[in-house]
Amino acid sequence: MATRTLLVATLGVTGVLPPAPVVAAAPSDAGAAVRAVVPETCPDGGADCVADTIARLRERFGTLGRSCDHHASFTLAYLRTTEGFRWGRDQDGYFADNTWVNREGALFAEYYYRAYDDWAAGRRSAVPGAWLAALDAARSRRLSGAGDLLLGMNAHINRDLPYVLERVGLTAPDGSSRKPDHDKVNEILAAVMDPLLAELIARLDRAGFDTGIPTSAALGLLVGWREQAWRNAVRLANARTPFARSLVELDIEAGAVATATGIATLTSYVPPFTGPAPRAAYCAAHNADAPPVAYPFGIPPAY
């Protein structure tokens, strides 16, 4: 019930947004420092960039999944969503500009790698607050599987995605908006949602993901977050001075942290009634099981 309340509250805010603001004709250069911190690994937007991202996510999930790390739920979801992205991209005419979405996907993943690797190395001051909340919670094993997944998604979408979108550009050279391609990803999320939930339940945390909340509600939450990320990217692009940009960044960071706090509060275990031990035992027995339901791209290997 509490998780349902969180979804309704979030959707109630994002579902009534006015039309998206217009991007300024000339992009701002106030975000140069951010570009220096997380460099691009796929500036040309080649198709191989997505294959590289999938390989890297599969390697990371292999380590996390086999050890039943609580962060494995997010990494598995990220892997399957990226595989779904490749499936969609490879359909003729699915995206208007494959180069742009390839570049976006590779840079988006780089923000995740950087946050996780800095956290794992103890460089906490370099880790965004929303990622600290997600990764610290996973290490402490104090949330359900759904909570760990939502914390990771919140950090990556609400915090990282606005910066990524601004960097790859919100308008094409002819001045048209990139938003139709951004919104096409929502169709991929819808296509992978049911098999992903089935896999999370079957392999990682049966009780923690079998919440009774319709996948349509979860999808609506993610679509709302992605819409707000686009709007925040527009705000970043339209910030004409470093001070104006700092105010937008502060809003993005604070909003993601506040959402993380709410998610953690609503999805925490309640000792002695609930705790991580059943999840650990279930995962140890089932993490290597094959995905039980086919995705649009087929049935992927467990690892």
Side-chain angles (χ1 to χ4, degrees):
M1 182 63 182
T3 305
R4 184 187 300 273
T5 301
L6 173 65
L7 293 173
V8 171
T10 304
L11 290 172
V13 173
T14 58
V16 295
L17 291 172
V22 177
V23 186
S28 168
D29 62 358
V34 175
R35 292 192 290 273
V37 171
V38 183
E40 286 206 51
T41 57
C42 182
D44 296 329
D48 289 346
C49 296
V50 178
D52 178 68
T53 298
I54 290 171
R56 294 174 72 180
L57 288 172
R58 184 175 290 125
E59 180 180 5
R60 286 171 182 258
F61 173 64
T63 300
L64 295 168
R66 290 184 177 94
S67 64
C68 291
D69 189 294
H70 277 208
H71 187 59
S73 60
F74 171 78
T75 310
L76 176 59
Y78 198 0
L79 170 61
R80 298 298 183 236
T81 301
T82 306
E83 290 172 319
F85 168 82
R86 180 172 62 181
W87 161 79
R89 182 208 61 188
D90 290 346
Q91 299 178 52
D92 289 341
Y94 192 89
F95 291 111
D97 189 342
N98 283 347
T99 298
W100 183 80
V101 295
N102 288 339
R103 182 183 169 211
E104 179 199 6
L107 182 60
F108 195 31
E110 200 64 39
Y111 273 68
Y112 165 55
Y113 306 148
R114 181 61 57 95
Y116 185 92
D117 294 347
D118 281 342
W119 174 83
R123 296 186 290 268
R124 295 182 65 83
S125 63
V127 183
W131 274 119
L132 281 176
L135 296 169
D136 284 351
R139 180 167 57 190
S140 67
R141 296 179 174 244
R142 60 188 178 87
L143 305 184
S144 69
D148 287 315
L149 176 59
L150 283 172
L151 280 185
M153 288 181 165
N154 166 64
H156 206 32
I157 298 173
N158 287 324
R159 191 275 166 187
D160 294 344
L161 187 54
Y163 298 110
V164 172
L165 288 168
E166 184 222 3
R167 287 182 60 179
V168 298
L170 303 173
T171 55
D174 64 1
S176 61
S177 175
R178 300 285 195 184
K179 194 164 189 298
D181 274 348
H182 173 74
D183 290 343
K184 277 294 253 186
V185 175
N186 296 335
E187 297 178 13
I188 294 171
L189 294 175
V192 304
M193 188 67 69
D194 285 332
L196 174 60
L197 178 61
E199 185 174 7
L200 289 165
I201 291 172
R203 298 181 62 193
L204 298 183
D205 186 10
R206 178 174 55 192
F209 285 106
D210 191 9
T211 63
I213 297 174
T215 53
S216 59
L219 176 64
L221 177 66
L222 298 183
V223 170
W225 283 356
R226 297 188 76 256
E227 175 65 22
Q228 188 59 57
W230 178 272
R231 291 161 185 266
N232 282 334
V234 172
R235 295 171 65 203
L236 289 170
N238 287 345
R240 310 318 299 169
T241 67
F243 178 70
R245 181 184 178 88
S246 70
L247 294 179
V248 179
E249 291 180 351
L250 179 63
D251 190 43
I252 292 170
E253 304 290 340
V257 169
T259 300
T261 300
I263 292 169
T265 299
L266 295 174
T267 60
S268 294
Y269 292 125
V270 184
F273 306 104
T274 60
R279 175 179 175 181
Y282 184 83
C283 177
H286 296 285
N287 73 84
D289 292 355
V293 178
Y295 288 83
F297 49 86
I299 297 181
Y303 287 115

